[in-house]
Amino acid sequence: MKYDLFIFDLDGTICDSFEGIKASIGYMMDKLGYPKPSDETYREIIGPPFFYSMKHILNVKENLHQEGMNLYRGFFAEEGYKLFSLYEGIRHVLQSIHAMGAKIALATSKPISPTLKLLRYFGLTEHFDSINAPADDTVKNSKEFAIGEALKVPHRKAVMIGDRKFDGVGAAFYKLDFVGAGYGCGSTDELLQAGAIKVLDSVNDYYDYFELPVVNGKFVSVEGMDGSGKTTQIRLLVEKMKRFGFRFVCTREPGGTKISEEIRQMLLSTENMEMHPKTEALLYAAARSQHVQQLIKPNLEQGRSVLCDRFVDSSIAYQGGGRRLGYLEVKSINDFAIDSALPDRTIYLQMDASKALQRRAKASELDRLESEKEAFFMATQAVYSEILTNDADRFIVVNADDNVDSISEVVFKHVASVLDEKVNWNECKYE
Ligand code: TYD
């Protein structure tokens, strides 16, 4: 292990702050009576301390600086933070650095209050051994100060990682190696001129460059009857997981690989009405086997979590129950197909059967499975209930009979808790 202390900058390195800062500064400039800056100018002000940017980049009159700060902070706390996101996958980088046994410190020039609020909101506080930011009322460039504080963590050799020249200058002050976050706001030239020994073009580059250990991903499936709102919930979940810095792939069944998608066509086509239930069960299992070997297992082994829209439980419920092939019969062909790749946890979207049926009836075009009769639907639902009882430890049951946003919040917190156990996700609020 070359470094045992990793010091990270926040904005532009961990956090993609562009939209949040653009909106907050735009609001402030407007209120102060200045024209809104260009995107290029917004990019320039991410990284430097606030008052430095006010004076040298935004050219705001000095007597308006304090009022500007108040306007900026007020807007940020109400609206601006909602537009922040973490770089996709950065959370897993932090997890892997810790898994290697190194320490992680934060050194930012963002004042301490908004820094702590953002870290808590994003569930990041737990991932830093030391958090260093200037006091809220500080007026001078304080990157050096924050790095100096970060260096108090006992270590042998530290590296500074940041996306702007200020991070490089701060690192040089303490004779630290500086690695540029080239995916952030500064250009490669700026970072090299600031002394970067390496510029990382993407979050993925951390693994090779720092020889991080691969920490296996988690496997989460999502199940529910047709009409339970699963598709909408998965879409919202994916957006949120990206924004919160998770490293994962999202896939679906039947499908996910070329061969499995071809089998999907065959399975769902309304031209194949003569398909025998056993053929159907075997085709679902065949599509699943290819999916497991080609996509699910390789991703988990490379440290990516896998979120899967339906998995083996769908077969047990639909073919075992709906098609009446039997729970154990369908389970046994699937035990062969999945080669021990059972999800770590499964989210089950639970909805009252008659309500789900009503919703399904409203859908304009139904595939071969969806056009089945009510008895099929009820038998499927009954076997789902049986699986929930038999495998209660794996299942997380979510009430899908609520408004879309509340369900989404609950689903996200459950999945986030599986993928990042260190964080208490119930406390992740911006306050
Ligand atoms: P899809 O259009 O993906 O539906 P949904 O959005 O409800 O998931 O079609 C998948 C259909 O295939 C769905 O009706 C459930 C069914 N199915 C099975 O019968 N067995 C299985 O093993 C799987 C994965 C799906």
Side-chain angles (χ1 to χ4, degrees):
M1 178 166 65
K2 187 166 178 200
Y3 303 107
D4 60 349
L5 175 60
F6 287 70
I7 306 176
F8 279 90
D9 160 56
L10 182 60
D11 290 309
T13 302
I14 301 255
C15 236
D16 183 348
S17 321
F18 183 76
E19 294 300 334
I21 289 185
K22 176 177 170 174
S24 307
I25 293 286
Y27 172 84
M28 174 199 81
M29 293 295 271
D30 204 38
K31 290 279 167 199
L32 292 179
Y34 284 82
K36 286 204 173 147
S38 65
D39 278 6
E40 205 173 304
T41 309
Y42 285 124
R43 220 158 261 128
E44 262 184 77
I45 61 177
I46 299 177
F50 182 84
F51 290 110
Y52 174 95
S53 301
M54 286 294 261
K55 187 166 175 185
H56 301 288
I57 304 173
L58 297 169
N59 302 317
V60 172
K61 276 199 279 168
E62 202 125 0
N63 62 340
L64 294 176
H65 286 191
Q66 193 54 49
E67 186 187 345
M69 169 68 106
N70 296 341
L71 285 165
Y72 173 79
R73 282 200 188 154
F75 185 86
F76 182 90
E78 287 296 316
E79 297 296 328
Y81 79 90
K82 294 180 195 158
L83 301 170
F84 273 59
S85 55
L86 302 188
Y87 287 104
E88 195 179 332
I90 200 76
R91 179 179 302 279
H92 198 263
V93 167
L94 301 179
Q95 288 172 314
S96 304
I97 292 173
H98 269 150
M100 181 168 75
K103 299 271 188 231
I104 307 175
L106 184 79
T108 177
S109 47
K110 193 189 260 335
I112 189 72
S113 294
T115 296
L116 288 177
K117 284 183 180 186
L118 266 186
L119 293 181
R120 194 181 319 113
Y121 172 71
F122 278 116
L124 279 186
T125 320
E126 292 86 341
H127 289 295
F128 289 100
D129 299 289
S130 155
I131 294 167
N132 308 286
D136 289 342
D137 53 5
T138 196
V139 285
K140 50 185 202 331
N141 180 351
S142 25
K143 197 84 209 191
E144 278 90 346
F145 165 78
I147 298 175
E149 292 296 299
L151 286 168
K152 290 181 181 164
V153 175
H155 66 279
R156 200 175 28 77
K157 190 163 170 62
V159 59
M160 172 75 208
I161 303 165
D163 73 314
R164 298 304 308 267
K165 67 176 180 203
F166 298 89
D167 303 308
V169 170
F173 185 79
Y174 295 100
K175 300 197 167 44
L176 299 179
D177 284 355
F178 172 53
V179 170
Y183 51 85
C185 294
S187 66
T188 302
D189 275 355
E190 173 181 330
L191 294 167
L192 291 173
Q193 274 166 24
I197 54 169
K198 166 82 183 171
V199 175
L200 306 173
D201 294 326
S202 80
V203 171
N204 229 5
D205 291 352
Y206 280 91
Y207 294 95
D208 273 355
Y209 186 68
F210 291 111
E211 296 175 1
L212 299 182
V214 175
V215 180
N216 264 19
K218 291 279 169 61
F219 181 15
V220 174
S221 61
V222 183
E223 297 280 348
M225 297 294 301
D226 305 290
S228 61
K230 188 169 53 61
T231 309
T232 307
Q233 284 306 328
I234 289 179
R235 182 176 51 76
L236 295 172
L237 177 60
V238 165
E239 277 170 19
K240 205 143 187 215
M241 284 172 71
K242 284 187 182 163
R243 182 166 174 247
F244 277 66
F246 287 96
R247 182 178 202 230
F248 70 105
V249 290
C250 180
T251 182
R252 66 163 181 191
E253 289 216 337
T257 67
K258 181 176 150 290
I259 292 174
S260 318
E261 289 289 338
E262 282 176 22
I263 301 176
R264 178 187 175 91
Q265 298 293 324
M266 222 186 288
L267 277 164
L268 300 184
S269 166
T270 44
E271 286 182 9
N272 291 335
M273 286 311 204
E274 75 277 25
M275 190 181 292
H276 191 275
K278 287 193 176 180
T279 313
E280 181 182 293
L282 288 165
L283 283 176
Y284 275 114
R288 180 161 301 127
S289 166
Q290 187 64 27
H291 194 204
V292 164
Q293 302 299 344
Q294 197 187 335
L295 190 140
I296 298 177
K297 281 195 177 180
N299 273 292
L300 293 172
E301 282 159 13
Q302 287 159 21
R304 263 177 231 100
S305 290
V306 174
L307 181 67
C308 192
D309 180 350
R310 297 196 181 280
F311 195 61
V312 63
D313 305 302
S314 285
S315 278
I316 301 177
Y318 283 79
Q319 281 66 53
R323 295 282 186 229
R324 305 193 183 280
L325 292 177
Y327 187 124
L328 291 177
E329 286 75 0
V330 175
K331 183 174 178 306
S332 80
I333 59 165
N334 275 281
D335 283 346
F336 174 72
I338 66 173
D339 205 8
S340 305
L342 205 62
D344 293 293
R345 300 305 295 272
T346 299
I347 303 282
Y348 183 72
L349 295 171
Q350 187 150 49
M351 177 166 247
D352 177 59
S354 56
K355 201 156 186 181
L357 265 172
Q358 270 172 20
R359 278 214 208 170
R360 200 179 59 146
K362 284 194 197 134
S364 52
E365 246 180 80
L366 299 179
D367 64 39
R368 194 174 61 85
L369 272 286
E370 286 165 341
S371 42
E372 277 300 331
K373 304 266 163 352
E374 199 171 322
F376 174 91
F377 187 91
M378 298 315 272
T380 304
Q381 170 112 18
V383 173
Y384 261 133
S385 305
E386 226 178 296
I387 311 173
L388 289 180
T389 314
N390 291 348
D391 216 349
D393 287 348
R394 175 164 58 89
F395 277 93
I396 299 169
V397 180
V398 173
N399 174 18
D401 202 356
D402 198 344
N403 76 61
V404 172
D405 291 338
S406 317
I407 302 169
S408 165
E409 195 66 15
V410 173
V411 169
F412 172 72
K413 288 201 167 138
H414 281 303
V415 175
S417 310
V418 177
L419 268 55
D420 188 350
E421 295 164 336
K422 219 174 177 176
V423 175
N424 180 353
W425 288 94
N426 286 323
E427 292 189 353
C428 296
K429 302 182 189 95
Y430 191 88
E431 53 186 25

